[in-house]
Amino acid sequence: DELEELSASLADMSQTLKRNIVEITEQNSRLKAVFRAVPGGILAIDSHETVTMVNPAAEEMFSIVGKPEGRHFLEVVKHAKLEAVIREALSSRALVEREITLHRGMEESFLQVFAVPIVSDSAAFGVILLAQDITRIRKLENMRSEFAANVSHELKTPLTIIGGFIDTLKEPDISRKDTERFLEIISLESERLT
């Protein structure tokens, strides 16, 4: 009788364990699919700064070669400022956001980086590092700023010339010939503005 109860109990435990394993496996598969699908770079790092997971976008973004899991973050990514962000998130147990510049040969890329600590019972046991490439945005901002500076310069030059000749025309002893020449220059410069 006791043996039958024990056997039934073990069978129930076995079924429960199998269901739990299937459920955890499915959740893990869904999580990995989401992890791979995210367009930004994602790295999971433990409290010893060992890489535990990397998505394809991060592998491309950081030019990761070989299997990164199980290796130290600096060995994988080779960027001290990013490591400092990870350390700050681990020690502060708070979200850390930074803009980081990566140099690859002659090219520069700009990343918006978020380090999110994984906290349990007020102890950080890892960090999820999210990196979004904002290089295109930075380049467009630079182009806009250069354009504004050029437009400003192109407007100031004729306006300065026009203003100078208007001041000269206010002089009482200016000849008719000079007045006509100055008015012609003012006319030409005003046409440049249109």
Side-chain angles (χ1 to χ4, degrees):
D1 229 14
E2 287 180 23
L3 200 54
E4 285 179 21
E5 283 181 34
L6 182 60
S7 176
S9 184
L10 285 173
D12 285 345
M13 285 176 43
S14 174
Q15 288 301 319
T16 302
L17 186 58
K18 283 179 185 176
R19 278 193 305 272
N20 288 344
I21 288 172
V22 167
E23 188 177 313
I24 290 170
T25 303
E26 287 174 359
Q27 287 176 348
N28 194 25
S29 294
R30 282 192 294 271
L31 179 62
K32 283 183 179 179
V34 169
F35 201 67
R36 283 190 303 271
V38 172
I42 302 176
L43 293 101
I45 299 112
D46 70 16
S47 61
H48 302 292
E49 298 180 25
T50 301
V51 175
T52 57
M53 287 178 79
V54 176
N55 75 341
E59 288 177 350
E60 183 179 330
M61 187 179 290
F62 297 113
S63 304
I64 296 173
V65 181
K67 186 178 181 289
E69 289 84 359
R71 293 166 44 203
H72 190 274
F73 178 80
L74 270 180
E75 183 186 344
V76 173
V77 176
K78 299 174 183 81
H79 199 287
K81 287 183 181 177
L82 283 172
E83 184 190 28
V85 169
I86 291 167
R87 286 187 175 174
E88 184 179 341
L90 282 169
S91 65
S92 69
R93 294 185 202 99
L95 169 73
V96 177
E97 179 184 351
R98 295 279 185 283
E99 188 172 309
I100 304 281
T101 305
L102 292 180
H103 300 278
R104 284 188 220 132
M106 296 298 290
E107 288 199 26
E108 256 186 349
S109 9
F110 302 93
L111 302 178
Q112 187 71 35
V113 176
F114 301 89
V116 183
I118 306 166
V119 180
S120 174
D121 298 329
S122 76
F125 61 91
V127 170
I128 300 294
L129 186 74
L130 308 165
Q132 188 65 41
D133 189 343
I134 57 169
T135 304
R136 191 168 156 258
I137 294 168
R138 287 292 168 259
K139 286 182 178 178
L140 287 173
E141 286 174 352
N142 287 341
M143 285 173 54
R144 184 185 67 201
S145 141
E146 287 174 15
F147 176 76
N150 289 337
V151 166
S152 174
H153 175 72
E154 290 297 320
L155 288 175
K156 282 182 183 176
T157 303
L159 289 174
T160 302
I161 292 170
I162 290 170
F165 282 114
I166 288 173
D167 287 343
T168 306
L169 287 172
K170 289 179 184 175
E171 296 292 321
D173 56 349
I174 192 162
S175 72
R176 175 110 176 122
K177 183 179 177 185
D178 285 340
T179 301
E180 287 176 7
R181 189 168 55 95
F182 293 162
L183 288 172
E184 182 62 31
I185 292 170
I186 290 171
S187 176
L188 288 171
E189 292 299 326
S190 66
E191 284 178 22
R192 275 184 57 193
L193 293 173
T194 57

